[in-house]
Amino acid sequence: MCKRGGQLPLPFIPVLDEDFGTLLHKNTYWQSEDLDSVIDQDPQRTIIQHGPVAAQYSTAVDEPVKDILDSIYHEHVAAVLEANYSGNASLVPVVEFIGDDPVAVDDERSLLEHVSVADESELIRVYQLPGNVENLPEHHAWLQILAGHQKCWMQALLSSTVVARGSKYGSNVVRRVMRPRVGQTVTVHSSSDGIPQSIRVTKRATDEPLLAIKRSTDGDIVATVYHQVPTRNRITLPLEFSYHPEQPTVPIHQYMDRYADAEQTLFANAWVDSAEPARPYTDLTDSGMVIHNPGFEITMNHVLAFTSNIGDCVWDNTPDPATGKVRVPLEYVHMSLMPDMLCAMGPSNIGGGQLE
């Protein structure tokens, strides 16, 4: 049935027999002539036959593939330039990066109905978010307002849903931490042409910093997340990115080597009262590499504070009838071991990846 004469070729080889060559050539020719015959109508799967029409453009012997592809690229650019700008390159508009223009927020005044907006100066705008969740602005539209209406690094950072993380893509964590929350104050510093230069998020009641986004002198983007550890100093997690407008699909790239170091420092400062620089565990047979835990006493106050911090609503603090002792949640074991675990996971040559 598949070999009947006069019918359109199949988009696959039905059987591997003596007619394999005939079926292959029929299928190939048909797909090179009609895109509808290609699976998913994908032009990347189109097979171009090297026949007389294609061969007439091969005018050099042993021409490198790079030269062939470059000639196709430059000819295509020249054709587009001629068709749209009469061949005059000076008429081509200059943009920050190729892509859709920032979308204006529909009815911005209605979105910010419950947000207090004040201009401290021509370059500084302060947003006071409301005190209840129901009146918070929608997340995506809120980020569009903060990013501004011009293509720039801030607009790319707050609008990109994914970022390049080494050889992989990952979700843009900056968008998540920039979600509007109750009782926050957001301060935006802009340049004279209206492009945001930095954003600072604080608690309205205490003016305690929560997040700061700015661009360093070397052009890198630094988003610093602040966290207050109970009874100790404030700790930070700097997230560093580079801006690549020449790659509009993923213009934001995260420095993963710096992130790993910042991650280890964050955990050390969060779990250890006086975090010391991690020792390089290069020789595991060295007796000096043994970790000794002096031990500690578990009190009821410790357990109550722990269950409160993690939001444990099912822990029963009534004494056991048989022993008269209170059972400690199993999660407390992880907390008690964390300082020693960090000593082993902290060295950069091991790479703990605690946040992965």
Side-chain angles (χ1 to χ4, degrees):
M1 182 182 300
C2 297
K3 299 180 181 179
R4 290 182 303 181
Q7 69 177 17
L8 296 179
L10 300 171
F12 59 90
I13 305 299
V15 61
L16 299 178
D17 58 8
E18 65 275 4
D19 294 325
F20 172 77
T22 302
L23 293 171
L24 177 65
H25 282 87
K26 283 186 176 182
N27 184 30
T28 303
Y29 280 121
W30 180 245
Q31 292 194 26
S32 67
E33 296 174 357
D34 187 359
L35 185 61
D36 289 335
S37 67
V38 180
I39 298 176
D40 295 333
Q41 288 75 50
D42 184 1
Q44 297 292 338
R45 301 184 185 183
T46 304
I47 302 174
I48 304 300
Q49 296 295 314
H50 192 69
V53 176
Q56 67 176 324
Y57 297 100
S58 300
T59 58
V61 179
D62 297 331
E63 186 177 9
V65 174
K66 179 181 183 304
D67 295 345
I68 297 175
L69 297 178
D70 284 347
S71 65
I72 296 173
Y73 169 76
H74 293 302
E75 289 293 333
H76 181 70
V77 171
V80 173
L81 187 64
E82 181 64 32
N84 294 279
Y85 303 101
S86 302
N88 188 352
S90 63
L91 299 178
V92 179
V94 178
V95 295
E96 180 76 8
F97 54 83
I98 299 175
D100 295 335
D101 292 327
V103 180
V105 178
D106 296 333
D107 197 4
E108 181 173 326
R109 178 175 299 179
S110 174
L111 180 71
L112 300 178
E113 178 182 0
H114 302 283
V115 179
S116 174
V117 183
D119 293 327
E120 291 189 354
S121 67
E122 294 182 357
L123 307 180
I124 301 177
R125 172 165 289 189
V126 180
Y127 300 89
Q128 301 276 0
L129 293 176
N132 52 75
V133 177
E134 292 76 12
N135 293 332
L136 288 175
E138 192 273 328
H139 182 202
H140 181 67
W142 169 247
L143 295 183
Q144 286 183 310
I145 294 175
L146 297 180
H149 307 299
Q150 302 182 53
K151 290 180 179 179
C152 61
W153 66 269
M154 184 71 79
Q155 198 272 334
L157 178 66
L158 297 184
S159 63
S160 299
T161 57
V162 297
V163 298
R165 309 184 73 202
S167 59
K168 301 178 181 180
Y169 289 159
S171 60
N172 185 359
V173 67
V174 176
R175 285 177 54 88
R176 188 163 71 248
V177 297
M178 282 296 298
R179 178 181 296 277
R181 291 176 172 83
V182 170
Q184 287 184 342
T185 298
V186 181
T187 305
V188 181
H189 292 251
S190 302
S191 60
S192 57
D193 53 1
I195 297 178
Q197 299 299 306
S198 68
I199 294 178
R200 186 172 184 265
V201 183
T202 60
K203 285 186 178 180
R204 183 168 55 198
T206 60
D207 200 35
E208 175 186 336
L210 301 173
L211 176 69
I213 301 175
K214 63 179 181 179
R215 204 168 183 184
S216 62
T217 54
D218 56 2
D220 292 336
I221 302 171
V222 182
T224 304
V225 181
Y226 297 87
H227 177 64
Q228 181 65 50
V229 179
T231 72
R232 295 215 297 276
N233 295 330
R234 185 180 299 111
I235 61 176
T236 62
L237 175 64
L239 305 174
E240 299 186 56
F241 306 87
S242 58
Y243 175 49
H244 298 269
E246 74 280 4
Q247 302 179 27
T249 304
V250 186
I252 304 298
H253 294 203
Q254 186 172 3
Y255 288 109
M256 295 309 298
D257 53 344
R258 303 179 190 178
Y259 172 74
D261 294 338
E263 175 193 32
Q264 292 164 0
T265 302
L266 171 74
F267 268 78
N269 292 330
W271 289 96
V272 184
D273 288 330
S274 56
E276 298 179 355
R279 294 175 293 174
Y281 282 72
T282 55
D283 184 5
L284 299 182
T285 62
D286 185 357
S287 60
M289 297 296 100
V290 178
I291 299 174
H292 298 279
N293 190 321
F296 61 95
E297 180 183 1
I298 301 177
T299 67
M300 179 61 76
N301 290 335
H302 291 159
V303 178
L304 289 174
F306 174 75
T307 54
S308 175
N309 288 335
I310 67 173
D312 190 344
C313 301
V314 298
W315 175 65
D316 185 7
N317 62 354
T318 58
D320 183 85
T323 62
K325 297 180 180 180
V326 176
R327 294 186 177 91
V328 178
L330 184 61
E331 294 84 357
Y332 195 87
V333 176
H334 179 270
M335 187 215 62
S336 62
L337 296 176
M338 198 63 185
D340 291 335
M341 291 172 59
L342 287 171
C343 291
M345 299 171 65
S348 58
N349 62 320
I350 294 179
Q354 293 92 341
L355 291 181
E356 295 298 330

